[in-house]
């Protein structure tokens, strides 16, 4: 089985999405891949326990991708061995009335993970330069004082928004949040297959929405927006990773392995030492309990 290398997925220069693979061949069957995932997710779970005790870093995992790219099942499988107290999952839908009364980053900021915890965001603050860029009329619903009409949602508007997002992520990184941004790179053909499965299998019918077909017609526009967003915001402090998503087991393993291998590089993460007084009296506490 081939190893997963961070450098093969991390985006460190300008890219064309059409050049990035949507399939990852690990030269392994499904069972072998799933066994590898079980091993690395147990390692991740143990590392998260240490991070929780350490209490100095938080981890923000951002998952972005087209409909059916496997984000929900990836969350279920990758974080299965985490202590429930150490991971918080958020799925961002259409903004609520309350959320629209605040700036577009507010609802994401208030759901950030505390120190020692993982926050997994299924769809993220990037919706504000993806969906809204494909449908700029949605910006009017934000009731921004300087946006009088759709004509004001121009290139200067998007330039400013990308600057704000980079500043937001830099602020997080400077204050101890480790930011991972995963682009679930699904091919258009594979999305078609997954949508058909939702229609063909009765138990999956509930997942289907006619709106998925409407957005699918805008595929090329979405790809242009994803490419621009990735190129403008993949930074040293908050890098993007391309995750080939046509095969779900390998996509899950890639995300888990990248998380684990990157976090292991933070060699300062360890359980805190007991204070000298407690350490010196461990034998007394043990004796006290044994004599009850």
């Amino acid at each position: 089985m081939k190893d997963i290398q961070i450098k093969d997925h991390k985006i460190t220069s300008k890219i064309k999405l059409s050049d990035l693979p949507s399939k990852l061949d690990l030269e392994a069957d499904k069972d072998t891949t799933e066994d590898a995932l079980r091993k690395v997710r147990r390692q991740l779970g143990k590392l998260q326990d240490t991070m929780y005790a350490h209490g100095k870093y938080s981890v923000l995992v951002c998952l972005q991708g087209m409909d059916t790219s496997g984000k929900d099942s990836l969350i279920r499988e990758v974080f299965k061995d985490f202590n429930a107290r150490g991971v918080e999952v958020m799925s961002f839908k259409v903004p609520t009335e309350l959320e629209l009364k605040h700036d577009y980053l507010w609802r994401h900021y208030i759901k950030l993970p505390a120190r020692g915890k993982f926050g997994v965001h299924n769809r993220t603050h990037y919706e504000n330069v993806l969906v809204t860029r494909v449908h700029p009329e949605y910006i009017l619903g934000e009731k921004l004082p300087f946006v009088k009409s759709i004509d004001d949602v121009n290139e200067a508007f998007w330039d400013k928004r990308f600057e704000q997002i980079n500043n937001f992520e830099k602020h997080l990184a400077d204050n101890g949040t480790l930011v991972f941004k995963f682009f679930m790179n699904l091919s258009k053909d594979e999305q078609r297959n997954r949508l058909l499965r939702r229609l063909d299998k009765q138990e999956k019918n509930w997942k289907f929405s006619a709106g998925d077909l409407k957005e699918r017609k805008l595929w090329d526009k979405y790809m242009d927006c994803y490419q621009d967003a990735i190129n403008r915001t993949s930074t040293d402090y908050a890098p993007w990773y391309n995750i080939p998503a046509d095969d779900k087991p390998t996509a899950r393993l890639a995300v888990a392995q990248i998380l684990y291998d990157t976090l292991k590089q933070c060699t300062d993460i360890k359980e805190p030492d007991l204070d000298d007084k407690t350490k010196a009296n461990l034998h007394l506490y043990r004796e006290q309990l044994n004599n009850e």
Side-chain angles (χ1 to χ4, degrees):
M1 181 177 184
K2 293 175 63 176
D3 291 336
I4 291 171
Q5 302 290 335
I6 293 174
K7 63 180 178 61
D8 294 334
H9 299 271
K10 191 174 184 178
I11 295 173
T12 58
S13 59
K14 300 294 183 184
I15 53 91
K16 288 185 178 180
L17 278 189
S18 58
D19 294 336
L20 299 181
S22 63
K23 293 182 179 179
L24 178 62
D25 184 8
L26 297 179
E27 299 178 0
D29 59 22
K30 182 180 178 181
D31 288 343
T32 302
T33 303
E34 290 180 344
D35 285 343
L37 174 60
R38 281 189 282 271
K39 178 180 178 181
V40 72
R41 78 183 180 204
R42 285 195 295 269
Q43 293 172 321
L44 263 178
K46 291 178 181 178
L47 179 59
Q48 194 284 317
D49 280 339
T50 302
M51 292 184 70
Y52 188 87
H54 185 240
K56 293 186 178 181
Y57 293 105
S58 57
V59 178
L60 177 61
V61 178
C62 300
L63 299 175
Q64 280 289 158
M66 296 293 283
D67 293 325
T68 78
S69 59
K71 299 182 294 296
D72 290 321
S73 61
L74 183 148
I75 293 170
R76 181 188 69 232
E77 296 301 323
V78 170
F79 300 96
K80 186 176 288 186
D81 288 338
F82 275 48
N83 188 316
R85 70 180 181 179
V87 60
E88 299 169 346
V89 178
M90 287 301 305
S91 182
F92 292 96
K93 307 293 186 181
V94 175
T96 66
E97 182 179 353
L98 173 62
E99 289 167 347
L100 286 171
K101 291 183 180 296
H102 295 267
D103 70 273
Y104 70 95
L105 288 173
W106 176 79
R107 67 175 182 157
H108 304 282
Y109 197 92
I110 62 174
K111 297 301 182 180
L112 291 172
R115 298 188 193 282
K117 292 191 175 185
F118 278 60
V120 184
H121 288 188
N122 180 353
R123 300 192 182 276
T124 70
H125 48 289
Y126 281 94
E127 293 291 281
N128 301 284
V129 289
L130 293 168
V131 175
T132 53
R133 202 169 182 191
V134 174
H135 299 282
E137 65 275 12
Y138 292 173
I139 295 294
L140 300 179
E142 296 183 20
K143 298 181 181 179
L144 298 170
F146 52 85
V147 176
K148 308 299 183 184
S149 71
I150 200 71
D151 292 336
D152 295 320
V153 188
N154 50 29
E155 284 305 307
F157 175 90
W158 298 115
D159 289 344
K160 188 67 175 177
R161 188 153 282 197
F162 280 119
E163 180 185 357
Q164 291 165 345
I165 286 175
N166 281 328
N167 289 338
F168 169 63
E169 293 173 352
K170 184 65 164 62
H171 173 72
L172 298 183
D174 286 346
N175 285 276
T177 298
L178 305 173
V179 183
F180 295 83
K181 300 181 301 195
F182 297 106
F183 170 56
M184 306 301 293
N185 190 357
L186 182 74
S187 68
K188 191 175 183 181
D189 285 344
E190 180 58 24
Q191 189 197 56
R192 176 180 177 274
N193 294 336
R194 292 181 185 181
L195 288 172
L196 284 171
R197 281 198 291 273
R198 290 182 178 183
L199 293 170
D200 294 341
K201 294 189 175 183
Q202 185 175 357
E203 68 273 17
K204 293 185 180 293
N205 285 170
W206 66 274
K207 291 185 175 183
F208 181 79
S209 168
D212 294 341
L213 299 184
K214 179 182 176 182
E215 294 303 289
R216 179 173 164 80
K217 292 178 180 178
L218 300 170
W219 182 277
D220 290 342
K221 194 168 184 179
Y222 270 106
M223 292 302 103
D224 288 342
C225 292
Y226 266 107
Q227 178 175 293
D228 194 38
I230 291 169
N231 281 333
R232 292 201 196 199
T233 62
S234 195
T235 59
D236 291 340
Y237 52 84
W240 279 99
Y241 298 86
N242 177 64
I243 303 299
D246 281 1
D247 181 72
K248 290 185 178 182
T250 56
R252 296 163 186 165
L253 178 58
V255 168
Q257 196 69 60
I258 289 168
L259 282 170
Y260 181 71
D261 288 347
T262 304
L263 292 172
K264 285 295 289 182
Q265 295 174 19
C266 300
T267 55
D268 60 321
I269 297 175
K270 58 182 181 179
E271 290 94 353
D273 292 328
L274 290 173
D275 63 85
D276 291 340
K277 181 178 179 181
T278 302
K279 190 182 298 185
N281 289 308
L282 287 178
H283 67 290
L284 296 177
Y285 304 139
R286 185 180 296 107
E287 182 180 338
Q288 181 179 333
L289 287 168
N290 287 329
N291 289 336
E292 283 185 352

